[in-house]
Protein backbone atom coordinates (compact mmCIF):
# COMPACT_ATOMS: atom_id res chain seq x y z
CA UNK A 1 0.00 0.00 0.00
CA UNK A 2 2.86 2.38 0.77
CA UNK A 3 4.44 1.66 -2.61
CA UNK A 4 1.15 2.38 -4.40
CA UNK A 5 0.67 5.62 -2.46
CA UNK A 6 4.18 6.75 -3.42
CA UNK A 7 3.53 5.83 -7.06
CA UNK A 8 0.30 7.85 -7.09
CA UNK A 9 2.05 10.83 -5.48
CA UNK A 10 4.72 10.66 -8.18
CA UNK A 11 2.03 10.55 -10.87
CA UNK A 12 0.23 13.58 -9.41
CA UNK A 13 3.50 15.49 -9.12
CA UNK A 14 4.44 14.79 -12.75
CA UNK A 15 0.99 15.63 -14.13
CA UNK A 16 0.91 19.02 -12.39
CA UNK A 17 4.55 20.02 -13.03
CA UNK A 18 5.46 23.36 -14.56
CA UNK A 19 7.71 21.96 -17.28
CA UNK A 20 5.96 20.44 -20.28
CA UNK A 21 8.46 17.58 -20.54
CA UNK A 22 7.71 16.59 -16.95
CA UNK A 23 3.96 16.69 -17.65
CA UNK A 24 4.63 14.44 -20.66
CA UNK A 25 6.39 12.01 -18.30
CA UNK A 26 3.25 12.01 -16.15
CA UNK A 27 1.08 11.14 -19.15
CA UNK A 28 3.49 8.33 -20.06
CA UNK A 29 3.48 7.04 -16.47
CA UNK A 30 -0.32 6.95 -16.48
CA UNK A 31 -0.24 4.97 -19.70
CA UNK A 32 2.25 2.49 -18.22
CA UNK A 33 0.23 2.12 -15.02
CA UNK A 34 -2.93 1.43 -17.01
CA UNK A 35 -1.09 -1.38 -18.79
CA UNK A 36 0.60 -2.87 -15.73
CA UNK A 37 -1.75 -2.03 -12.84
CA UNK A 38 -5.22 -1.09 -14.12
CA UNK A 39 -6.75 -1.93 -10.73
CA UNK A 40 -4.69 0.82 -9.05
CA UNK A 41 -5.89 3.34 -11.63
CA UNK A 42 -9.51 2.16 -11.42
CA UNK A 43 -9.53 2.39 -7.63
CA UNK A 44 -8.16 5.96 -7.69
CA UNK A 45 -9.79 7.12 -10.93
CA UNK A 46 -11.39 10.33 -9.64
CA UNK A 47 -8.21 11.64 -8.01
CA UNK A 48 -6.02 10.67 -10.97
CA UNK A 49 -8.32 12.17 -13.56
CA UNK A 50 -8.60 15.43 -11.61
CA UNK A 51 -4.98 15.86 -12.70
CA UNK A 52 -5.10 14.09 -16.06
CA UNK A 53 -8.08 16.00 -17.47
CA UNK A 54 -5.97 19.17 -17.19
CA UNK A 55 -3.43 17.60 -19.58
CA UNK A 56 -6.16 17.10 -22.18
CA UNK A 57 -6.50 20.89 -22.23
CA UNK A 58 -2.79 21.57 -21.70
CA UNK A 59 -1.33 24.83 -22.97
CA UNK A 60 1.48 22.90 -24.69
CA UNK A 61 0.15 21.18 -27.82
CA UNK A 62 2.54 18.21 -27.58
CA UNK A 63 1.31 17.40 -24.07
CA UNK A 64 -2.29 17.86 -25.15
CA UNK A 65 -1.88 15.64 -28.22
CA UNK A 66 -0.10 12.90 -26.24
CA UNK A 67 -2.73 13.00 -23.49
CA UNK A 68 -5.50 12.57 -26.06
CA UNK A 69 -3.64 9.67 -27.70
CA UNK A 70 -3.11 8.00 -24.32
CA UNK A 71 -6.75 8.55 -23.41
CA UNK A 72 -7.84 6.75 -26.57
CA UNK A 73 -5.69 3.77 -25.57
CA UNK A 74 -6.57 3.59 -21.88
CA UNK A 75 -10.31 3.94 -22.48
CA UNK A 76 -10.35 0.33 -23.67
CA UNK A 77 -8.43 -0.81 -20.60
CA UNK A 78 -10.40 1.11 -17.98
CA UNK A 79 -13.88 0.78 -19.55
CA UNK A 80 -16.57 1.11 -16.87
CA UNK A 81 -14.10 2.49 -14.32
CA UNK A 82 -14.25 5.76 -16.30
CA UNK A 83 -17.93 6.32 -15.44
CA UNK A 84 -17.26 8.69 -12.49
CA UNK A 85 -15.01 10.93 -14.64
CA UNK A 86 -16.74 10.78 -18.02
CA UNK A 87 -18.32 14.25 -17.85
CA UNK A 88 -14.95 15.92 -17.20
CA UNK A 89 -13.37 13.93 -20.00
CA UNK A 90 -16.07 14.86 -22.49
CA UNK A 91 -15.70 18.54 -21.58
CA UNK A 92 -11.92 18.35 -22.06
CA UNK A 93 -12.19 16.49 -25.35
CA UNK A 94 -14.85 18.86 -26.68
CA UNK A 95 -12.57 21.85 -26.18
CA UNK A 96 -10.07 20.24 -28.55
CA UNK A 97 -12.51 19.73 -31.40
CA UNK A 98 -12.01 23.38 -32.38
CA UNK A 99 -8.22 23.25 -32.20
CA UNK A 100 -6.34 24.91 -35.05
CA UNK A 101 -3.72 22.17 -34.86
CA UNK A 102 -4.92 19.28 -37.04
CA UNK A 103 -2.97 16.72 -34.98
CA UNK A 104 -4.68 17.81 -31.77
CA UNK A 105 -8.08 17.90 -33.43
CA UNK A 106 -7.47 14.46 -34.94
CA UNK A 107 -6.32 12.94 -31.66
Amino acid sequence: AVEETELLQKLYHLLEAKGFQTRMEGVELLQDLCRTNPQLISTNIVQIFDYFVLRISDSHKKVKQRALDVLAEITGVLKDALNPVIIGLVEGITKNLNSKDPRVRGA
Side-chain angles (χ1 to χ4, degrees), residues 61 65 96 99-107:
K61 69 181 177 183
Q65 181 181 350
N96 290 303
S99 175
K100 292 178 182 168
D101 186 321
R103 291 173 295 197
V104 170
R105 195 172 49 245

Side-chain angles (χ1 to χ4, degrees), residues 47-107:
Q47 299 90 329
I48 291 168
F49 275 72
D50 281 349
Y51 292 93
F52 181 68
V53 80
L54 298 174
R55 300 301 57 96
I56 293 172
S57 303
D58 201 279
S59 59
H60 197 281
K61 69 181 177 183
K62 286 184 179 180
V63 176
K64 184 186 314 188
Q65 181 181 350
R66 186 68 189 127
L68 289 165
D69 289 340
V70 166
L71 178 61
E73 178 186 325
I74 66 176
T75 299
V77 174
L78 298 176
K79 298 178 183 160
D80 291 339
L82 290 171
N83 288 344
V85 296
I86 201 75
I87 292 172
L89 286 174
V90 170
E91 289 172 352
I93 293 166
T94 304
K95 291 176 186 176
N96 290 303
L97 293 176
N98 296 323
S99 175
K100 292 178 182 168
D101 186 321
R103 291 173 295 197
V104 170
R105 195 172 49 245

Side-chain angles (χ1 to χ4, degrees), residues 9-28:
Q9 290 301 320
K10 178 181 179 182
L11 178 63
Y12 302 150
H13 174 73
L14 292 173
L15 287 173
E16 69 177 355
K18 290 186 181 192
F20 84 91
Q21 287 130 333
T22 308
R23 294 193 308 272
M24 287 279 281
E25 287 177 40
V27 172
E28 300 293 332

